């Protein structure tokens, strides 16, 4: 009786990989649809039409529009988390976040709605505790022998996170709409680096 179970494992593994690949492809197709037509245009039926897939198959992955939007929001959060805590240099990560914000306005609006909703921030930004710990260790006054006790680290990190995610869009839309995307990114990078250097958080 044990041999059939062993024989079934590779087939089950292949099915799981196929499911995950399809699931990810549907999320990425949803991202493309939102970027092209906006959040309001997204539906499970519309996604099925866009990818040429049976509607029942798409519903197997996402039981409702709300579930689909949640998956897209989680994907956006993963991109932003990578930008804040990836393996690239700090300058590259600053640029990544600013460019992602500027190139995906509808995704960012969706993500912000999720971000400000009640609930644990760690579900939207999994690196929050690491962000807090690093800021407490290396933040303002820590380089002078202090322990960053003169600031409210949680509020400070909220300022940094909100500014990085909302700031570039506000600046491009309302402050300097005449600037190119690259110019906006360059100016935000320079100012963020100045602030991080001032507060002892600038890293190579």
């Amino acid at each position: 009786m044990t041999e059939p179970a062993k024989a079934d494992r590779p087939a089950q593994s292949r099915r799981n990989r196929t499911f995950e690949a399809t699931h990810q492809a549907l999320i990425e197709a949803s991202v493309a649809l939102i970027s092209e037509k906006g959040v309001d245009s997204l539906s499970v039926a519309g996604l099925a039409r866009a990818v040429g897939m049976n509607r029942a198959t798409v519903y197997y992955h996402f039981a409702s529009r709300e579930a689909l939007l949640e998956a897209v929001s989680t994907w956006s959060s993963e991109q932003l988390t990578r930008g804040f805590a990836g393996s690239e240099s700090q300058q590259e990560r600053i640029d990544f976040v600013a460019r992602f914000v500027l190139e995906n306005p509808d995704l960012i609006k969706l993500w912000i709605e999720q971000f400000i909703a009640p609930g644990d921030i760690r579900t939207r930004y999994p690196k929050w505790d690491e962000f807090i710990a690093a800021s407490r260790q290396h933040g303002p006054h820590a380089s002078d022998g202090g322990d960053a006790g003169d600031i409210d680290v949680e509020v400070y990190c909220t300022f940094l996170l909100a500014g990085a995610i909302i700031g570039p869009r506000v600046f491009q839309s309302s402050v300097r709409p005449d600037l190119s995307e690259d110019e906006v990114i360059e100016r935000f990078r320079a100012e963020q680096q100045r602030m991080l250097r001032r507060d002892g958080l600038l890293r190579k």
Side-chain angles (χ1 to χ4, degrees), residues 6 22 42 53 99 102 113 143 146 162 175 178 186:
K6 290 181 180 178
T22 301
L42 185 65
M53 189 177 291
R99 193 174 300 279
L102 293 174
E113 288 177 5
S143 60
V175 180
D178 56 307
E186 182 178 353

Side-chain angles (χ1 to χ4, degrees), residues 136-177:
R136 182 171 284 120
Q137 181 179 358
H138 303 293
H141 311 297
S143 60
D144 298 328
D147 61 357
D150 292 341
I151 66 166
D152 186 325
V153 178
E154 289 181 322
V155 172
Y156 179 81
C157 288
T158 301
F159 281 152
L160 290 178
L161 190 60
I165 293 168
I166 299 173
R169 194 69 201 169
V170 173
F171 189 78
Q172 185 188 56
S173 299
S174 305
V175 180
R176 289 299 304 271

Side-chain angles (χ1 to χ4, degrees), residues 171-202:
F171 189 78
Q172 185 188 56
S173 299
S174 305
V175 180
R176 289 299 304 271
D178 56 307
L179 296 182
S180 69
E181 180 179 288
D182 287 340
E183 289 172 314
V184 173
I185 291 170
E186 182 178 353
R187 289 185 61 173
F188 260 79
R189 179 205 313 139
E191 184 57 22
Q192 285 188 50
Q193 288 180 321
R194 185 195 68 78
M195 292 170 58
L196 293 170
R197 186 180 299 110
R198 178 201 66 192
D199 295 338
L201 291 169
L202 186 64

Side-chain angles (χ1 to χ4, degrees), residues 5 12 48 70-71 108 114 126-127 148 152 158 189:
Q12 182 66 39
E70 183 177 348
I108 292 301
Q114 297 276 339
K127 298 288 186 179
D152 186 325
T158 301
R189 179 205 313 139

Side-chain angles (χ1 to χ4, degrees), residues 29-98:
S30 299
V31 170
L33 284 174
I34 290 174
S35 298
E36 181 183 351
K37 299 180 179 179
V39 174
D40 292 340
S41 67
L42 185 65
S43 67
V44 175
L47 175 60
R49 287 193 299 272
V51 299
M53 189 177 291
N54 185 288
R55 188 183 303 185
T57 302
V58 180
Y59 272 111
Y60 179 65
H61 286 266
F62 305 103
S64 65
R65 180 177 185 272
E66 289 69 29
L68 181 56
L69 287 173
E70 183 177 348
V72 170
S73 180
T74 298
W75 181 88
S76 299
S77 183
E78 290 169 353
Q79 303 309 303
L80 292 169
T81 296
R82 192 184 79 187
F84 278 104
S87 59
E88 299 87 357
S89 70
Q90 196 167 50
Q91 175 173 321
E92 289 173 322
R93 287 185 279 119
I94 289 171
D95 286 3
F96 176 86
V97 172

